[in-house]
Amino acid sequence: MDKRDSGFWFIQVPGWLLCLYLVYAQAIPAFNYDLGVSMGTQEPASRITEIGAAFWYGFALGDLLIYIPLLAAGLADHWQRNNRGQVLLAAALGITVYWPIVCLAAVADARGAPGWQIDNEAVYWAVLPAISLWGMVGLVLLIRSRR
């Protein structure tokens, strides 16, 4: 972007907040899932089955290794108006659109399955669509800024 307009800030501010939250909620549990459960950022296997915990752990590990570094690098380069930041940030925003939809589909499809019991599913339905929508709008703004 040539200037730091409202679109720039719409990407940067929520992007860094999401990145910080992902470090807390996903990177730590990637090292120790039980710590994530005790912190309240992960669901215990006793409520979502061992398979559910493995699924959420897989997302935590993927976030640690790929998504968080990609998002942080993309946001940092976007801040500095580096062209590489456009590509990195577009990739991260694509992931941002994708993963909440996958998680919501899993939550909805697992509902009622033996051993699956999420106490407050409404939180997933309130937060994850907003994250996905932010990613989509961010992608549109990023594409428009290239013109």
Side-chain angles (χ1 to χ4, degrees), residues 2-25:
D2 295 327
K3 58 183 179 169
R4 293 186 174 169
D5 59 8
S6 60
F8 176 89
W9 294 110
F10 179 84
I11 292 171
Q12 284 290 316
V13 173
W16 283 112
L17 291 173
L18 176 61
C19 196
L20 291 172
Y21 177 74
L22 289 168
V23 168
Y24 172 74

Side-chain angles (χ1 to χ4, degrees), residues 83-99:
N83 283 337
R84 178 183 62 188
Q86 299 278 336
V87 174
L88 297 175
L89 189 54
L93 289 171
I95 294 170
T96 305
V97 173
Y98 173 80
W99 74 259

Side-chain angles (χ1 to χ4, degrees), residues 45-104:
S46 62
R47 287 194 177 150
I48 60 172
T49 77
E50 292 293 330
I51 301 297
F55 178 78
W56 294 141
Y57 171 75
F59 267 95
L61 184 61
D63 287 351
L64 172 68
L65 297 176
I66 305 297
Y67 183 42
I68 294 169
L70 193 60
L71 182 59
L75 288 167
D77 283 356
H78 178 253
W79 179 267
Q80 297 172 357
R81 298 185 189 111
N82 184 329
N83 283 337
R84 178 183 62 188
Q86 299 278 336
V87 174
L88 297 175
L89 189 54
L93 289 171
I95 294 170
T96 305
V97 173
Y98 173 80
W99 74 259
I101 294 168
V102 171
C103 290
L104 284 174

Side-chain angles (χ1 to χ4, degrees), residues 17-42:
L17 291 173
L18 176 61
C19 196
L20 291 172
Y21 177 74
L22 289 168
V23 168
Y24 172 74
Q26 295 291 85
I28 294 170
F31 289 105
N32 186 336
Y33 189 83
D34 291 333
L35 178 59
V37 170
S38 68
M39 291 169 31
T41 64
Q42 300 296 321

Side-chain angles (χ1 to χ4, degrees), residues 10-11 93 97 132-143:
F10 179 84
I11 292 171
L93 289 171
V97 173
S132 191
L133 181 62
W134 171 78
M136 181 59 71
V137 172
L139 269 173
V140 169
L141 291 170
L142 200 60
I143 290 166

